[in-house]
Amino acid sequence: MTRKKKELPLLEKVTITDVAAEGKALAKVNDLVVFVPYVVPGDVVDLQVKRKKNHYAEAVAVKFHEYASVRAVPFCEHYGVCGGCKWQCLPYEEQIKYKQKQVTDNLTRIGKIELPEISPILGSEKTEFYRNKLEFTFSDKRWLTEEEVKADVKYEQMNAVGFHIPGAFDKVLAIDKCWLQDDISNQIRNAIRDYAYEHNYPFFNLRTQEGLLRNLMIRTSTTGELMVLLQCKVVDERDLELTKQLLAFVAERFPQITSLLYVVNNKCNDTINDLDVVVFKGNDHIYEEMEGLRFKIGPKSFYQTNSEQAYNLYKVARDFAGLTGDELVYDLYTGTGTIANFVSRRARRVIGIEYVPEAIEDAKVNSAINGIDNTLFYAGDMKDILTQDFINEHGRPDVIITDPPRAGMHNDVIDTILFAEPKRIVYVSCNPATQARDLSLLDAKYKVTAVQPVDMFPHTHHVENVVLLEKR
């Protein structure tokens, strides 16, 4: 016998009061904290509770009684369905206000350390079409919106190329126009989609692992170069021929593409780091530029996805480092060595460490391209590479720049930093919560003397934060 699901309450005429984590807003009903997506402080709404715990609940707005005076009209037709850009309903000046608050709250509540005045957040000049990279998924399971489901129509075309629906790994929302990347991205994606529809190309099924077309990556750069990578499952010569016919169409339709690539992926996931990428036309890379430095970017390379704001972020990190030309700098989690090469002109030597070997090879290439000879790069797990023996061999750093993943730094890494005792630590973070935790561990020997938030991703809740720590 199936257990009857408990009916969850409808909360009527609730006023949204604040913005919370993960892009949601919040309200309080008696002692219950309720998290709600796609609403803003000042909205008065009826809320249908979807999940309830002892002290909090998650709900969706089912009726608006009043709209907040600060509410903005979302500009994307896919808003509220694709799961991205959740803050389109907030004017940009409100978005950065709440990001500033997020940084302040995390550093004070989690870090619990003495802080200087936090500098005003550096907003992004571009709030639309600001990304240099997007990835789209092909699927034969197109997500139907509520309106399409209610129409009770049999849809002939159930293939789609677009973004995964949150919580539905095998369903993809068909994207017609995305506002995140230059419009050439929309043109290329839609042209490939239409060609595939017209010629009956099989789209991938994530459950059965069948179908030819899997994934599409498009990169643009500030130099005007353009990379397109098509990922396919190829089981015979016919599949390979279909792939090449599609790429020939793309090459003819978009001659401005400087790097047209494909990869055969017959695995159960879309990662390509262990796969060979084939050049169909043009180069196997594109270039980015920053202050006259050129950075080679391949299909597997990591590069900050907001190029203009990445430059502002790196300038903050370099200024915080206070380099005079005599310093030994350690750049932890160096990636493709962008920060290491960016600061190298003002340092005696820069040593970069990164987990991904391919990224370290890119870092070395980027140094060579720019005639930089005062960098060294090492690949391996940070906690295994950055040890007391490593520091004894290479020298105690005057400055450490660290830009870890969202999870923050391993305790062993923090212990080694404390052993190294650099004069200054520049901590770049994409997650102020884990940054705050790490700052509290460094507080025994280091004082936070400057904090600069940087907005890299308008219309999302994500925020970068740069902190300068100086030895006590």
Side-chain angles (χ1 to χ4, degrees):
M1 184 176 176
T2 305
R3 186 176 178 181
K4 189 175 179 181
K5 201 170 182 179
K6 185 178 179 181
E7 191 171 329
L8 294 170
L10 176 72
L11 308 174
E12 297 182 305
K13 290 191 175 181
V14 176
T15 301
I16 305 299
T17 57
D18 204 350
V19 168
E22 303 301 323
K24 296 177 181 178
L26 66 82
K28 284 191 176 181
V29 180
N30 298 322
D31 292 328
L32 186 69
V33 176
V34 186
F35 297 98
V36 191
Y38 308 116
V39 293
V40 303
D43 285 340
V44 180
V45 291
D46 289 347
L47 299 176
Q48 177 60 59
V49 175
K50 295 294 185 179
R51 186 166 174 258
K52 189 173 183 299
K53 297 292 184 180
N54 287 336
H55 299 293
Y56 77 93
E58 296 177 12
V60 294
V62 293
K63 181 179 179 180
F64 283 79
H65 294 277
E66 294 178 30
Y67 288 107
S69 59
V70 297
R71 172 175 276 274
V73 178
F75 48 82
C76 179
E77 64 181 281
H78 305 298
Y79 172 77
V81 183
C82 93
C85 303
K86 292 179 181 177
W87 278 9
Q88 280 186 32
C89 54
L90 270 175
Y92 187 60
E93 59 270 18
E94 291 293 310
Q95 294 178 30
I96 58 175
K97 181 180 81 174
Y98 283 110
K99 292 186 184 193
Q100 180 94 19
K101 181 176 181 293
Q102 177 186 336
V103 169
T104 302
D105 288 349
N106 281 318
L107 295 190
T108 54
R109 294 179 184 178
I110 299 173
K112 293 183 172 61
I113 55 175
E114 182 184 354
L115 292 170
E117 183 177 352
I118 297 175
S119 298
I121 187 170
L122 295 179
S124 178
E125 186 174 332
K126 282 186 179 179
T127 59
E128 300 167 2
F129 307 120
Y130 60 83
R131 287 182 67 100
N132 56 42
K133 176 187 174 186
L134 279 179
E135 293 186 73
F136 304 99
T137 299
F138 295 89
S139 175
D140 66 352
K141 298 288 185 185
R142 180 167 73 88
W143 177 266
L144 298 176
T145 64
E146 286 187 23
E147 291 75 15
E148 288 174 320
V149 172
K150 289 176 182 175
D152 196 25
V153 175
K154 185 177 180 181
Y155 295 94
E156 292 184 9
Q157 186 55 265
M158 287 302 293
N159 289 325
V161 55
F163 297 130
H164 283 281
I165 289 290
F169 84 96
D170 64 333
K171 297 287 180 68
V172 167
L173 177 69
I175 297 295
D176 189 60
K177 179 174 182 176
C178 178
W179 293 75
L180 287 174
Q181 192 176 22
D182 186 279
D183 196 56
I184 189 64
S185 175
N186 291 313
Q187 296 171 37
I188 293 171
R189 184 195 62 252
N190 291 347
I192 291 174
R193 175 201 65 196
D194 293 344
Y195 182 95
Y197 284 172
E198 182 182 349
H199 294 84
N200 296 314
Y201 274 58
F203 285 41
F204 200 64
N205 183 300
L206 280 161
R207 290 187 182 274
T208 65
Q209 295 288 300
E210 296 174 330
L212 175 64
L213 301 179
R214 292 190 63 148
N215 187 277
L216 175 69
M217 180 180 75
I218 300 174
R219 285 186 187 263
T220 54
S221 78
T222 56
T223 62
E225 294 176 277
L226 183 59
M227 175 184 286
V228 175
L229 172 68
L230 183 67
Q231 188 179 140
C232 298
K233 179 172 183 176
V234 174
V235 295
D236 54 32
E237 286 299 318
R238 173 64 176 159
D239 287 340
L240 187 58
E241 181 59 30
L242 286 173
T243 299
K244 291 181 178 180
Q245 288 175 11
L246 174 54
L247 290 168
F249 160 76
V250 174
E252 182 179 0
R253 182 76 173 270
F254 301 97
Q256 64 269 52
I257 295 174
T258 47
S259 175
L260 183 57
L261 317 168
Y262 72 93
V263 60
V264 174
N265 182 1
N266 294 340
K267 303 185 304 176
C268 293
N269 61 65
D270 288 335
T271 59
I272 64 169
N273 284 336
D274 57 340
L275 301 176
D276 293 328
V277 176
V278 182
V279 177
F280 183 81
K281 185 180 179 183
N283 303 318
D284 65 353
H285 61 273
I286 58 177
Y287 284 102
E288 268 289 358
E289 285 189 355
M290 194 180 290
E291 276 191 2
L293 296 174
R294 287 169 64 79
F295 296 98
K296 182 180 177 182
I297 299 171
K300 301 177 185 179
S301 299
F302 170 79
Y303 193 83
Q304 287 282 1
T305 52
N306 185 335
S307 298
E308 287 84 352
Q309 278 296 84
Y311 179 43
N312 290 325
L313 182 76
Y314 296 159
K315 283 194 294 184
V316 171
R318 186 175 61 188
D319 290 345
F320 278 10
L323 303 176
T324 65
D326 295 327
E327 291 84 5
L328 172 62
V329 179
Y330 282 11
D331 181 28
L332 311 186
Y333 313 93
T334 191
T336 55
T338 314
I339 291 180
N341 285 302
F342 186 72
V343 306
S344 64
R345 293 171 175 172
R346 302 188 186 180
R348 173 170 54 85
R349 169 149 293 198
V350 183
I351 297 175
I353 305 172
E354 165 63 39
Y355 178 74
V356 181
E358 293 85 357
I360 286 298
E361 291 309 309
D362 285 341
K364 293 176 181 177
V365 168
N366 286 327
S367 287
I369 288 170
N370 293 287
I372 296 169
D373 59 7
N374 63 336
T375 56
L376 284 174
F377 294 102
Y378 294 89
D381 191 301
M382 186 64 63
K383 68 181 188 311
D384 297 331
I385 296 289
L386 186 70
T387 63
Q388 294 185 13
D389 288 342
F390 183 92
I391 290 168
N392 291 334
E393 178 183 351
H394 294 280
R396 289 182 179 269
D398 300 292
V399 177
I400 285 181
I401 300 173
T402 181
D403 186 4
R406 290 190 62 80
M409 296 190 292
H410 192 280
N411 281 357
D412 290 351
V413 176
I414 293 174
D415 288 342
T416 307
I417 291 174
L418 291 171
F419 165 79
E421 294 188 329
K423 297 173 186 175
R424 290 179 295 282
I425 301 168
V426 180
Y427 191 147
V428 182
S429 174
C430 60
N431 186 352
T434 54
Q435 183 186 46
R437 177 204 66 204
D438 293 348
L439 293 178
S440 67
L441 297 176
L442 293 165
D443 187 61
K445 288 188 177 181
Y446 289 89
K447 180 179 180 180
V448 174
T449 57
V451 181
Q452 178 63 72
V454 181
D455 183 26
M456 302 282 283
F457 304 107
H459 310 302
T460 77
H461 65 281
H462 297 293
V463 60
E464 297 269 338
N465 193 44
V466 190
V467 168
L468 171 62
L469 302 100
E470 296 186 275
K471 198 164 182 293
R472 293 185 183 277

